Amino acid sequence: MSKLNKASIILPIVGALFLWIKTYIVYKTGFHIKIENWMQEFILILNPASFLLFIFGLSLFFKTEKVRNGYILFVSFLLSFIIYANVVFYRFFTDFLTLPVLFQTSNFGDLGESASAEINWWDFFFFIDVFLLLMIIKMKPKMVNFQSIKRVNRRAYFLVTAAILFLNLGLSEAERPQLLSRTFDREILVKNIGTYNYHLYDLFLQSKSSAQKAMADGSRLVDVENYVRANYVKPNEKLFGIAKGRNVIVISLESTQSFVINSKVNGQVITPYLNQLIKDSYYFDHFYHQTGQGKTADAEFLIENSLYPLNRGAVFFTHASNKYNSLATKLNENGYYTSGMHANNKSFWNRDIMYKSLGYQKFYSSNSYTITDENSVGWGMKDIPFFQQSVDLMKEMPKPFYAKMITLTNHHPFTLDESDRFIEEYTSNDKTVNRYFTTVRYEDESIKEFMIKLKQAGLYDKSIIIMYGDHYGISENHHLAMGQYLGKEITPFVHADLQKVPFIVHIPGVTDKGRGKIISKVSGQIDVRPTILHLLGIETKKDIQFGEDLFSPDHRNFTIFRDGQFVTDKYVWAANTCYSKNTEEQVDKELCRIYKENTATELNFSDEIIYGDLLRFYGDEKNKD
Ligand code: GP9
Ligand code: MN
């Protein structure tokens, strides 16, 4: 083994340079990073440099050539892998990886069709520079053939690296103040400090949250409680307890956005049954999803706890051992048999663990259903057989029961057997959008069948049926085709508007025969818990929750998205811009300021509860007076 007294400074620089160029190409092709001016573009070009020079520069300390070369190759491969994993993740979620998501390894097996739909044969190009580096090392061209490196040169190398880092941070801070203290938006972080530094930062946040929990004490709860008390809205007197003692069936409508309701595609109605049902229900047409990276699971979290999910990772994973005062827990206390029903792997989104923390007495997962090749498509069991078999299970449940059902067929990549297509696909260049309408139509059919089955089983009249869309199905990546369908450009304003999901409360005997109505309050998933409990005649006055009963005359028109955007009856805050709801035009940011502050306060309180696991201190408080 040759001593590295003649160590080269060239090789680490070549390694860093390759990855630098590649990272920038990935920024421009793999992600959709919105660049508003040349300074942002410059920061984007610059931002991988400091980390790459640093990490490759560490090789200058190695004493032998072999170890040094091995280290450089290893770093090159590892970082390439990280950037590639980000690209694959981004293709599906339009977001960057975070550590908690990465450690959800049990999810990876289940991603199945979705993941493979996002991996292409040409992806090996992502690793081409690693091979190039290997060839350079093997061929030992003169250029990398080791000139000696003096300590002073090494120092100079790291000094330049540090200078680049400070330049990067300085420019970023000028461009985006409070960058690191407010992490609502990962794209802004990656855009400014670069994907590698972002991952380091994420690691730091992760350690911080572990420490926060260890250090939290009950006194923080006082502020939270004061805030929640001050925002409590009293129930609607006429509706409080109207569904008392009934079974509660809550259905999560996978990836269902409101724009499909009462709409057509190619002249065909997309949701004929739901359109009908809405006339016999309370239908909220300004109801938004508020999910983060945890998608379906985040929606469940919101509905159960009336707390916000986290802005990174899925709270179902990161804080599954916390104490919660969930909807299910409240219903347990009120004599209900509580269960989750979802014909998928029980470990997906960590549900098997989290459902226990949420207090479900039983989880009917794939093990409880008869699943065959014939009755499955895409991610698993089709919705129609799922509902059919679920009613059979409900017949056996102790009464009254609470069943939270999660549908699956209308999930990306929206595949369907020929025989299940009740309408033609849409015709655009975007196959995902084209298929979406057909799976929504299938889902609609499945709800119709479910209602028929419920009636046959004698359960319908004794139940209250609540449905919510869990999150968007069509992501930003599909704006072109969505624009074509809607016949308008998808501005940030329209994009925010597209986050509306249906929310339907159907109370047989109460809302039947057109006695329901459309309610246009600005609202969100956070409001579901108090709404349901009040309909059942269960008080929530003492509970720590951020939502407001949707039927309350005092319910405010204000809904916060998990990424810090928000909607009121007058304004929409999206893409760092204040829009007027009336004109859809930009207005003075000052008009949004107060809501922006409220948004930050509320999200911070909610985060504090979760990070500090504060509800574990609440039991004693609750029983005090
Ligand atoms: C998986 C299902 C889908 O069990 O809930 O999850 P999603 O990808 O929509 O979060
Ligand atoms: Mn979902």
Side-chain angles (χ1 to χ4, degrees):
M1 227 183 274
S2 64
K3 274 267 176 201
L4 206 70
N5 49 356
K6 296 183 288 179
S8 166
I9 203 166
I10 302 284
L11 197 60
I13 292 181
V14 170
L17 202 68
F18 279 175
L19 255 161
W20 186 358
I21 295 169
K22 177 164 73 184
T23 308
Y24 182 67
I25 294 174
V26 168
Y27 282 166
K28 296 311 256 184
T29 57
F31 309 140
H32 309 285
I33 299 177
K34 217 175 91 208
I35 297 293
E36 287 152 4
N37 55 46
W38 64 267
M39 180 51 94
Q40 291 187 1
E41 188 73 57
F42 179 69
I43 295 172
L44 192 71
I45 296 172
L46 185 73
N47 73 34
S50 58
F51 177 81
L52 291 174
L53 285 172
F54 175 77
I55 197 95
F56 279 100
L58 291 181
S59 69
L60 298 174
F61 291 96
F62 288 118
K63 295 278 185 288
T64 68
E65 184 184 339
K66 203 173 163 188
V67 174
R68 189 207 58 172
N69 289 351
Y71 171 81
I72 288 180
L73 272 176
F74 172 72
V75 168
S76 174
F77 176 76
L78 184 74
L79 297 181
S80 299
F81 183 78
I82 290 176
I83 196 106
Y84 176 62
N86 268 296
V87 169
V88 173
F89 187 76
Y90 197 96
R91 283 176 188 157
F92 185 47
F93 292 105
T94 331
D95 206 342
F96 302 95
L97 273 171
T98 66
L99 276 171
V101 167
L102 199 64
F103 288 124
Q104 291 160 20
T105 41
S106 51
N107 264 3
F108 284 154
D110 301 311
L111 285 174
E113 213 173 324
S114 262
S116 59
E118 305 302 342
I119 292 176
N120 307 313
W121 67 265
W122 60 82
D123 286 352
F124 75 88
F125 277 116
F126 281 95
F127 295 89
I128 217 146
D129 60 319
V130 185
F131 292 112
L132 252 139
L133 209 58
L134 183 70
M135 269 159 62
I136 291 175
I137 287 171
K138 285 271 173 259
M139 285 159 52
K140 297 190 177 177
K142 273 245 160 57
M143 203 180 55
V144 296
N145 230 1
F146 318 105
Q147 324 127 9
S148 65
I149 176 165
K150 294 193 188 112
R151 181 175 283 194
V152 53
N153 288 346
R154 199 164 58 195
R155 270 196 199 149
Y157 177 97
F158 282 106
L159 228 86
V160 171
T161 304
I164 295 176
L165 175 69
F166 286 121
L167 175 68
N168 186 170
L169 289 179
L171 292 177
S172 303
E173 189 62 27
E175 190 52 38
R176 174 57 64 133
Q178 295 180 304
L179 176 69
L180 298 180
S181 52
R182 301 182 69 240
T183 41
F184 286 139
D185 186 0
R186 267 171 296 279
E187 180 176 307
I188 292 174
L189 269 176
V190 171
K191 188 161 122 180
N192 284 286
I193 61 171
T195 174
Y196 307 108
N197 288 330
Y198 153 72
H199 283 300
L200 281 182
Y201 178 67
D202 187 46
L203 182 72
F204 161 75
L205 285 185
Q206 178 69 12
S207 334
K208 196 172 100 180
S209 78
S210 310
Q212 271 170 333
K213 179 167 175 173
M215 277 155 41
D217 69 72
S219 62
R220 284 305 296 139
L221 211 52
V222 178
D223 288 349
V224 177
E225 257 191 286
N226 288 342
Y227 176 82
V228 170
R229 295 282 166 272
N231 288 311
Y232 171 79
V233 297
K234 61 172 191 308
N236 181 319
E237 274 168 30
K238 285 203 193 99
L239 292 174
F240 188 83
I242 196 142
K244 197 176 176 73
R246 291 198 192 208
N247 303 314
V248 180
I249 300 171
V250 176
I251 305 173
S252 159
L253 302 172
E254 179 58 48
S255 302
T256 307
Q257 293 171 238
S258 295
F259 75 85
V260 295
I261 303 289
N262 286 325
S263 298
K264 288 183 177 177
V265 66
N266 304 328
Q268 319 152 102
V269 181
I270 307 164
T271 56
Y273 181 71
L274 287 180
N275 296 351
Q276 206 51 46
L277 183 74
I278 278 166
K279 292 185 190 144
D280 283 345
S281 310
Y282 295 110
Y283 173 57
F284 295 82
D285 65 353
H286 280 67
F287 179 92
Y288 294 82
H289 85 84
Q290 296 165 299
T291 61
Q293 289 186 314
K295 308 294 273 310
T296 311
D298 276 0
E300 292 180 64
F301 186 81
L302 277 146
I303 268 108
E304 283 293 335
N305 303 305
S306 194
L307 298 172
Y308 293 90
L310 298 178
N311 69 348
R312 40 192 287 284
V315 60
F316 262 41
F317 262 99
T318 55
H319 294 80
S321 56
N322 276 16
K323 173 106 175 68
Y324 295 105
N325 183 16
S326 67
L327 178 61
T329 305
K330 290 281 272 193
L331 294 180
N332 286 339
E333 288 165 6
N334 284 274
Y336 273 80
Y337 173 75
T338 56
S339 69
M341 308 185 91
H342 183 37
N344 194 9
N345 237 342
K346 66 176 176 12
S347 61
F348 201 95
W349 283 130
N350 206 27
R351 285 190 180 98
D352 49 345
I353 312 291
M354 185 61 171
Y355 276 10
K356 292 200 176 98
S357 299
L358 292 177
Y360 287 106
Q361 292 173 35
K362 167 89 182 163
F363 178 17
Y364 299 92
S365 67
S366 51
N367 302 333
S368 305
Y369 291 85
T370 311
I371 305 177
T372 61
D373 281 350
E374 286 69 46
N375 72 11
S376 303
V377 72
W379 275 48
M381 195 179 195
K382 295 178 190 175
D383 291 343
I384 291 179
F386 164 67
F387 277 121
Q388 280 169 348
Q389 293 186 24
S390 295
V391 174
D392 291 336
L393 292 168
M394 283 172 181
K395 283 193 236 168
E396 307 304 319
M397 288 179 192
K399 312 285 177 318
F401 64 79
Y402 161 46
K404 222 269 299 300
M405 313 179 79
I406 299 171
T407 62
L408 198 53
T409 309
N410 185 38
H411 193 291
H412 177 95
F414 312 117
T415 42
L416 216 51
D417 290 337
E418 193 63 51
S419 55
D420 294 323
R421 283 182 212 154
F422 300 103
I423 54 170
E424 299 295 314
E425 288 180 5
Y426 181 51
T427 43
S428 74
N429 288 333
D430 191 326
K431 295 204 169 77
T432 304
V433 174
N434 296 352
R435 286 194 300 266
Y436 179 71
F437 295 96
T438 57
T439 45
V440 172
R441 175 65 185 82
Y442 173 85
E443 180 186 72
D444 181 79
E445 194 71 17
S446 75
I447 309 272
K448 177 176 151 193
E449 303 266 323
F450 175 58
M451 293 297 210
I452 294 171
K453 274 285 257 180
L454 270 185
K455 284 176 188 163
Q456 286 169 353
L459 291 168
Y460 174 78
D461 292 331
K462 303 187 185 82
S463 304
I464 165 171
I465 300 124
I466 292 138
M467 297 174 206
Y468 68 92
D470 63 349
H471 49 78
Y472 65 82
I474 303 297
S475 74
E476 279 167 282
N477 289 348
H478 305 284
H479 270 175
L480 228 56
M482 269 310 284
Q484 183 186 331
Y485 173 73
L486 296 173
K488 59 179 170 188
E489 190 200 339
I490 312 292
T491 60
F493 177 90
V494 176
H495 180 69
D497 200 52
L498 281 171
Q499 305 314 305
K500 279 182 200 152
V501 293
F503 184 63
I504 302 166
V505 177
H506 184 69
I507 317 176
V510 175
T511 58
D512 280 340
K513 302 184 188 72
R515 274 179 285 167
K517 62 175 183 185
I518 296 179
I519 301 173
S520 298
K521 282 177 191 170
V522 176
S523 52
Q525 292 163 332
I526 198 103
D527 299 321
V528 173
R529 180 189 187 275
T531 306
I532 296 180
L533 286 170
H534 291 170
L535 288 173
L536 300 175
I538 301 171
E539 275 286 355
T540 65
K541 206 172 183 166
K542 288 184 182 176
D543 294 355
I544 302 278
Q545 60 185 3
F546 292 97
E548 296 171 4
D549 181 344
L550 286 165
F551 294 108
S552 166
D554 303 331
H555 181 284
R556 276 159 297 178
N557 284 298
F558 179 40
T559 288
I560 296 170
F561 294 4
R562 180 57 261 195
D563 60 7
Q565 302 193 42
F566 58 77
V567 182
T568 79
D569 47 347
K570 292 197 181 68
Y571 307 109
V572 171
W573 175 257
N576 214 12
T577 307
C578 191
Y579 290 90
S580 149
K581 239 182 164 179
N582 263 344
T583 63
E584 303 191 15
E585 298 291 331
Q586 292 193 20
V587 291
D588 187 355
K589 280 188 184 176
E590 196 51 29
L591 294 167
C592 278
R593 195 173 55 84
I594 180 78
Y595 301 104
K596 242 180 108 185
E597 282 164 13
N598 293 346
T599 296
T601 310
E602 185 147 323
L603 288 174
N604 280 339
F605 273 137
S606 179
D607 286 352
E608 235 185 293
I609 293 174
I610 297 166
Y611 285 131
D613 190 9
L614 295 186
L615 295 182
R616 71 193 141 130
F617 303 117
Y618 190 56
D620 323 330
E621 291 285 314
K622 205 170 41 172
N623 303 324
K624 244 184 351 208
D625 50 23

